[in-house]
Amino acid sequence: ADSYDALFQQITESFGPEVSFVLKPKQLVKVEPLKALNRIQVQLASLSPETKGYVLLDFSEPLDDELQAVLVYSTDLARVMELAVEVGIYAAPAYEALKAAQEAE
């Protein structure tokens, strides 16, 4: 996606109508990126209690869109990160990566 509202729209659509989200994509339209990403991550962390929610993971180098991410169960995050290093693919938790990038500026 090219914006956080569009990214969240794609995420909600991927879960289908049976999963209800408190956060709505339109609520992210004019929100600064770090706050938007935090809101998305908080919403994702509340899903799937047995896997401690989801983490939005920046994945690989963006191709056609500004934002390229995958959802990973929180319980699988360490292993996914290990595998990304093994195969040489960039991966980082999206919120933490953006926060670190903004602090470095």
Side-chain angles (χ1 to χ4, degrees):
D2 287 324
S3 64
Y4 288 102
D5 59 306
L7 176 65
F8 192 61
Q9 180 68 43
Q10 290 177 13
I11 291 169
T12 58
E13 288 172 359
S14 73
F15 280 91
E18 61 277 354
V19 178
S20 62
F21 289 85
V22 176
L23 183 64
K24 302 297 179 203
K26 65 183 177 183
Q27 294 172 294
L28 301 172
V29 172
K30 294 190 181 209
V31 176
E32 67 180 56
L34 190 60
K35 284 185 180 179
L37 201 46
N38 183 52
R39 290 177 185 174
I40 292 170
Q41 187 54 63
V42 167
Q43 178 73 80
L44 294 173
S46 70
L47 300 175
S48 185
E50 64 277 0
T51 61
K52 299 182 182 170
Y54 294 88
V55 175
L56 188 61
L57 192 68
D58 286 344
F59 191 75
S60 190
E61 295 301 317
L63 301 172
D64 296 334
D65 297 311
E66 181 78 18
L67 306 168
Q68 183 169 296
V70 294
L71 290 178
V72 176
Y73 290 129
S74 294
T75 53
D76 293 338
L77 181 61
R79 182 67 180 137
V80 170
M81 296 298 292
E82 289 172 11
L83 291 171
V85 169
E86 283 182 31
V87 297
I89 295 174
Y90 169 79
Y95 176 73
E96 286 81 5
L98 182 58
K99 185 175 179 183
Q102 287 186 355
E103 288 172 355
E105 291 178 355

